[in-house]
Amino acid sequence: MAVTTKATIASFGGRLLKCTHMASTTNCEMAFNLYLPPQTLINSLSRVPLLIYLAGLTCTGDNGAEKGFFQHAASQKGIAVLYPDTSPRGLKIQGEDDSYDFGSGAGFYVDATKEPWSKGYNMYSYITSELPKAVFDHFEQVDGSRVSIFGHSMGGHGALTLV
């Protein structure tokens, strides 16, 4: 699966990448941010651990990257940080944009079991399988054997239920 880097932003000696890819679990293009610390630029053979940050209700992958500012500490420790979106977007399911706490921005990091939601709202499968595989396949600097997860609010709950 192809990952497209839409933007590269210098951050604490490393790079914050704004990326997208087509996801089969969500049946849409998904966006994520990935911070690669300076250690990956200094030594191209360097492989760094990955910390996955799950955002809270109504957030996107931009919230942690732009407001949480984890990149500073990650640059010092040599840790990549992955900021996925909280839900699929634009599936055109009736009602998905009607409420802040259900649908777009509110995937709750679970797989939906009822139609029509089960056609795209599969964030458990996306976060635990499809997205990590895409990151490890596309970014050789990220070490798939050293991965941790944490989050804020809905993302904190998600992190606890995913491990």
Side-chain angles (χ1 to χ4, degrees):
M1 126 187 22
V3 172
T4 302
T5 301
K6 303 274 189 173
T8 302
I9 301 164
S11 180
F12 296 101
R15 297 175 300 176
L16 179 65
L17 309 176
K18 297 199 173 266
C19 302
T20 60
H21 71 112
M22 287 304 299
S24 61
T25 52
T26 61
N27 289 308
C28 68
E29 182 178 76
M30 293 293 289
F32 65 90
N33 292 320
L34 177 65
Y35 176 71
L36 295 174
Q39 292 81 348
T40 62
L41 301 174
I42 296 166
N43 178 357
S44 63
L45 299 176
S46 177
R47 296 193 53 171
V48 296
L50 179 66
L51 183 59
I52 302 171
Y53 170 77
L54 301 183
L57 190 65
T58 74
C59 294
T60 70
D62 292 334
N63 289 81
E66 296 173 5
K67 296 177 183 176
F69 236 47
F70 305 116
Q71 294 92 282
H72 182 249
S75 71
Q76 295 173 332
K77 301 294 184 185
I79 300 171
V81 185
L82 177 61
Y83 305 94
D85 201 348
T86 57
S87 74
R89 309 259 176 192
L91 293 177
K92 298 183 171 83
I93 296 174
Q94 184 177 2
E96 78 176 326
D97 294 322
D98 291 353
S99 176
Y100 78 95
D101 61 351
F102 189 79
S104 293
F108 289 97
Y109 306 107
V110 298
D111 284 351
T113 58
K114 300 203 184 245
E115 295 288 336
W117 305 99
S118 60
K119 291 180 181 173
Y121 279 80
N122 299 303
M123 290 304 290
Y124 176 90
S125 295
Y126 177 70
I127 296 294
T128 61
S129 181
E130 187 171 12
L131 180 59
K133 181 175 180 358
V135 169
F136 302 141
D137 288 351
H138 193 77
F139 299 97
E140 294 175 351
Q141 313 93 312
V142 180
D143 184 350
S145 69
R146 297 185 291 160
V147 180
S148 294
I149 190 168
F150 77 119
H152 170 257
S153 192
M154 177 184 75
H157 177 265
L160 291 172
T161 61
L162 296 177
V163 294

